[in-house]
């Protein structure tokens, strides 16, 4: 592949592009920080239950719907990034997200709230979510995993910032005004940041020691439709397994603490902040690792950590707080890792030029994992009477993941005569 030389006059934020590109990461991180407020939904549930006179099952409905629409829209958006442009897509998504929150402040029943928050705000999240990662991957062809991992950390760490903020706003202004304030803040913030998140010129490369390596790797990646490659299905299955285990663990973190370990609800709730920290910090780490080591080894490492966590929890009993904390830190750590590993592996295993479309397709695995993870754990609890039995299928699928990763997650290169 012929690579155009970097224009010496190309600048970002008044700096040479190679230095200015680093400022795009905190901007993308801030966008994802706003979007990640969906993971702070538990803060809204109790006030909404009192305000709308609804039960716990009904108060979970807007959250379930927003995850569905976020998962559905993100793959679709990938096909329109090059046609519409990153700035317009981010601004559009930010405006729709803001409108969803603002309209939620006027909702008088759970059905309306599910439409405004679940459908409309979820559409905004789905449209916007993948775009900052595309921007980072294009500006950092030499360090794509690290750049994507740092960008997406905003989504993972969002509850650490937005949950306390939302709590304070609800205490001072009430739940409806909080939706209105957040909607306006998110709309304005994301719209302003969208002005700066542009793509580099086609085939732009930084001057670095990795440049020839990047060109060599990209030249060897087969440019066929990813749906016709075995490694796509391997990556899809591995991502689905990582999402299934991680989202199952997230869904049962607090109930397991109270039912199996029998710690008080306040400590169980505060431990989630610790888990969220591990979930956020693992993203740049796994992005960096996937830059430097074959994806199959990094994926296998996550499954080994999951197996360790499952073994710990399958033997856990009342009072074993340390065991619980270690195991669930590992679960959340691996889920965050997969949210950086999967996009980086998509860049590594397939043509980077088609990243937005390719990762949109790969990301459907996350949606399936989320659906299975939220349904199966609850059913196991209902049937067997304990969440302990949920860790056995999680261990089994982790072992399947090891086999799939080691046999399929490797580039299929073009014969040298075709290069």
């Amino acid at each position: 592949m012929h690579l155009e030389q970097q224009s010496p006059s190309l600048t970002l934020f008044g700096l040479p592009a190679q230095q200015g590109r680093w400022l795009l990461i905190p901007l993308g991180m801030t966008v994802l920080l706003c979007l990640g407020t969906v993971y702070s939904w538990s803060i809204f549930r109790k006030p909404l239950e009192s305000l709308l006179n609804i039960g716990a099952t009904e108060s979970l409905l807007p959250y379930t719907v927003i995850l569905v629409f976020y998962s559905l829209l993100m793959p679709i958006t990938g096909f329109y990034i090059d046609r519409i442009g990153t700035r317009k897509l981010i601004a559009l998504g930010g405006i729709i997200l803001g409108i969803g929150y603002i309209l939620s402040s006027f909702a008088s029943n759970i059905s309306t709230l599910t439409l405004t928050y679940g459908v409309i705000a979820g559409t905004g999240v789905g449209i916007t979510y993948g775009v900052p990662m595309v921007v980072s991957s294009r500006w950092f062809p030499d360090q794509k995993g690290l750049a994507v991992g740092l960008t997406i950390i905003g989504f993972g760490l969002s509850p650490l910032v937005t949950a306390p903020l939302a709590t304070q706003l609800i205490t001072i202004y009430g739940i409806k005004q909080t939706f209105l304030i957040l909607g306006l803040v998110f709309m304005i913030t994301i719209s302003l940041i969208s002005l700066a998140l542009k793509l580099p010129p086609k085939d732009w490369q930084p001057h670095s020691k990795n440049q020839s390596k990047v060109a060599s790797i990209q030249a060897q990646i087969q440019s066929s439709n990813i749906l016709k490659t075995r490694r796509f299905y391997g990556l899809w299955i591995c991502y689905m397994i990582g999402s299934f285990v991680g989202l199952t663990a997230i869904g049962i973190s607090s109930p397991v603490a109270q039912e199996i370990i029998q710690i008080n609800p306040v400590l169980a709730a505060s431990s989630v902040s610790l888990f969220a920290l591990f979930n956020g910090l693992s993203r740049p780490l796994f992005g960096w690792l996937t830059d430097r080591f074959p994806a199959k080894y990094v994926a296998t490492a996550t499954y080994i950590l999951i197996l360790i966590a499952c073994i710990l929890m399958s033997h856990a009993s009342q009072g074993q707080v340390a065991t619980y904390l270690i195991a669930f830190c590992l679960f959340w750590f691996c889920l965050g890792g997969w949210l950086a590993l999967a996009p980086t592996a998509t860049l590594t295993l397939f043509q980077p030029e088609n990243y937005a479309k390719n990762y949109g397709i790969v990301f459907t695995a996350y949606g399936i994992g989320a659906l299975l993870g939220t349904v199966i754990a609850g059913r196991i609890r209902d049937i067997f009477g304990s969440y302990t039995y949920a860790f056995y299928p999680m261990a089994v699928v982790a072992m399947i993941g090891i086999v799939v990763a080691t046999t399929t997650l490797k580039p299929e290169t073009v014969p040298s005569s075709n290069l």
Side-chain angles (χ1 to χ4, degrees):
M1 179 186 297
H2 174 69
L3 296 176
E4 297 177 4
Q5 294 298 315
Q6 176 187 352
S7 170
S9 61
L10 185 61
T11 61
L12 281 173
F13 309 106
L15 299 170
Q18 188 156 333
Q19 285 76 49
R21 62 180 178 157
W22 288 97
L23 297 177
L24 294 170
I25 290 179
L27 292 176
M29 193 186 300
T30 303
V31 170
L32 289 167
L33 187 76
C34 295
L35 304 183
T37 307
V38 299
Y39 285 154
S40 300
W41 180 248
S42 60
I43 301 300
F44 298 93
R45 290 182 66 187
K46 287 298 181 183
L48 286 170
E49 288 169 15
S50 300
L51 178 68
L52 304 179
N53 191 28
I54 57 176
T57 301
E58 289 176 298
S59 69
L60 194 60
L61 189 58
Y63 174 68
T64 304
V65 173
I66 199 173
L67 287 183
V68 170
F69 273 80
Y70 145 50
S71 300
L72 287 175
L73 266 295
M74 190 273 181
I76 295 172
T77 302
F79 287 86
Y80 292 94
I81 286 181
D82 290 326
R83 187 183 307 176
I84 299 175
T86 55
R87 292 171 170 174
K88 290 180 180 178
L89 269 179
I90 294 175
L92 175 64
I95 290 169
I96 294 174
L97 174 71
I99 289 172
Y101 271 86
I102 292 169
L103 291 178
S104 295
S105 71
F106 298 100
S108 58
N109 55 69
I110 191 62
S111 298
T112 303
L113 185 64
T114 301
L115 172 64
T116 57
Y117 185 85
V119 177
I120 298 177
T123 298
V125 174
I127 289 173
T128 314
Y129 177 79
V131 186
M133 290 189 288
V134 172
V135 173
S136 294
S137 69
R138 296 276 182 93
W139 280 105
F140 288 86
D142 54 333
Q143 300 178 75
K144 51 187 178 291
L146 177 62
V148 170
L150 286 171
T151 303
I152 202 174
I153 197 175
F155 204 87
L157 293 182
S158 180
L160 293 179
V161 177
T162 57
L165 173 62
T167 301
Q168 283 292 102
L169 290 173
I170 291 170
T171 301
I172 298 171
Y173 300 106
I175 184 68
K176 288 196 170 187
Q177 285 296 104
T178 297
F179 277 127
L180 178 62
I181 293 169
L182 290 177
L184 290 171
V185 170
F186 292 162
M187 184 186 295
I188 294 169
T189 301
I190 295 174
S191 296
L192 289 175
I193 291 177
S194 70
L195 300 174
L197 294 184
K198 62 180 181 178
L199 296 175
K202 183 176 173 57
D203 294 331
W204 180 85
Q205 289 288 334
H207 292 309
S208 72
K209 61 183 179 181
N210 294 327
Q211 182 169 346
S212 60
K213 178 182 176 182
V214 171
S216 174
I217 292 174
Q218 291 184 358
Q220 295 181 55
I221 297 176
Q222 200 167 7
S223 60
S224 59
N225 186 325
I226 66 168
L227 295 175
K228 297 180 179 179
T229 64
R230 186 177 69 161
R231 62 192 185 278
F232 160 71
Y233 296 98
L235 179 59
W236 194 96
I237 292 170
C238 287
Y239 195 11
M240 189 273 290
I241 290 172
S243 301
F244 164 71
V245 172
L247 292 168
T248 299
I250 283 179
I252 66 176
S253 295
S254 187
V256 164
Q258 295 177 56
E259 294 182 21
I260 298 177
I261 311 302
Q262 296 185 17
I263 62 180
N264 67 70
V266 175
L267 180 58
S270 62
S271 65
V272 173
S273 295
L274 174 65
F275 302 152
L277 183 63
F278 274 79
N279 180 266
L281 295 179
S282 64
R283 300 176 189 223
L285 173 61
F286 276 85
W288 179 82
L289 288 172
T290 312
D291 264 342
R292 284 155 178 76
F293 303 99
K296 62 180 181 179
Y297 297 132
V298 184
T300 300
T302 69
Y303 295 135
I304 292 172
L305 292 177
I306 287 170
L307 281 173
I308 293 171
C310 288
I311 292 170
L312 288 173
M313 286 310 302
S314 65
H315 294 89
S317 58
Q318 180 180 348
Q320 294 184 328
V321 178
T323 299
Y324 163 74
L325 292 176
I326 292 170
F328 274 81
C329 280
L330 289 176
F331 284 133
W332 285 60
F333 182 77
C334 290
L335 176 63
W338 266 104
L339 287 166
L341 195 166
T344 306
T346 302
L347 283 162
T348 302
L349 297 173
F350 310 104
Q351 283 287 0
E353 292 83 356
N354 298 325
Y355 167 69
K357 297 178 183 178
N358 291 344
Y359 186 58
I361 297 171
V362 171
F363 189 76
T364 58
Y366 177 90
I368 299 299
L371 181 61
L372 293 175
T374 54
V375 172
I376 291 177
R379 292 295 298 161
I380 289 175
R381 169 66 175 79
D382 292 339
I383 294 171
F384 296 101
S386 173
Y387 282 112
T388 298
Y389 295 96
F391 299 106
Y392 295 110
M394 291 162 69
V396 171
V397 296
M399 289 187 284
I400 294 173
I402 291 174
V403 175
V404 175
T406 54
T407 56
T408 64
L409 295 188
K410 50 188 178 181
E412 297 171 14
T413 57
V414 181
S416 58
S417 59
N418 295 334
L419 293 177

